[in-house]
């Protein structure tokens, strides 16, 4: 049986302290959480979405450490 870990994905607005969306996922590895975070970030950046566009996404592990982060500038948006 695989051990699963909980990761918290946060979609951030223009001010890094502003969390627009927070999702918790359980996965067996960091790669799965990273993939899910990038899909959520892409969906948050579409022009049809209401409100402020997302500026960054980050993944936080169960211990509260940031283990992945990507901004819109890194994506080339």
């Amino acid at each position: 049986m695989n051990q699963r870990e909980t990761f918290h994905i946060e979609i951030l607005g223009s001010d890094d302290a502003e969390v627009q969306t927070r999702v918790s996922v359980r996965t067996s590895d960091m790669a799965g959480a990273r993939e899910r975070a990038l899909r959520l970030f892409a969906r948050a950046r579409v022009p049809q979405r209401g409100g402020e566009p997302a500026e960054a996404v980050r993944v936080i592990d169960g211990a509260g450490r940031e283990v992945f982060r990507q901004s819109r500038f890194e994506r080339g948006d």
Side-chain angles (χ1 to χ4, degrees), residues 1-75:
M1 186 165 130
N2 281 341
Q3 287 215 335
R4 298 171 65 89
E5 183 176 354
T6 301
F7 292 92
H8 307 283
I9 301 170
E10 296 180 342
I11 305 295
L12 305 173
S14 58
D15 179 13
D16 274 355
E18 177 193 355
V19 176
Q20 293 180 342
T21 305
R22 181 175 290 131
V23 177
S24 296
V25 296
R26 288 188 51 85
T27 184
S28 58
D29 61 0
M30 174 54 201
R34 182 181 178 275
E35 179 182 323
R36 177 77 186 272
L38 291 174
R39 283 196 320 256
L40 289 171
F41 187 46
R43 192 168 40 213
R45 298 277 313 147
V46 296
Q48 296 88 353
R49 185 175 176 272
E52 290 291 317
E55 295 289 324
V57 63
R58 68 180 167 198
V59 177
I60 300 170
D61 68 6
R65 295 181 305 250
E66 185 177 294
V67 293
F68 174 76
R69 180 185 190 89
Q70 186 173 56
S71 74
R72 70 180 180 94
F73 302 107
E74 294 169 47
R75 287 183 49 107

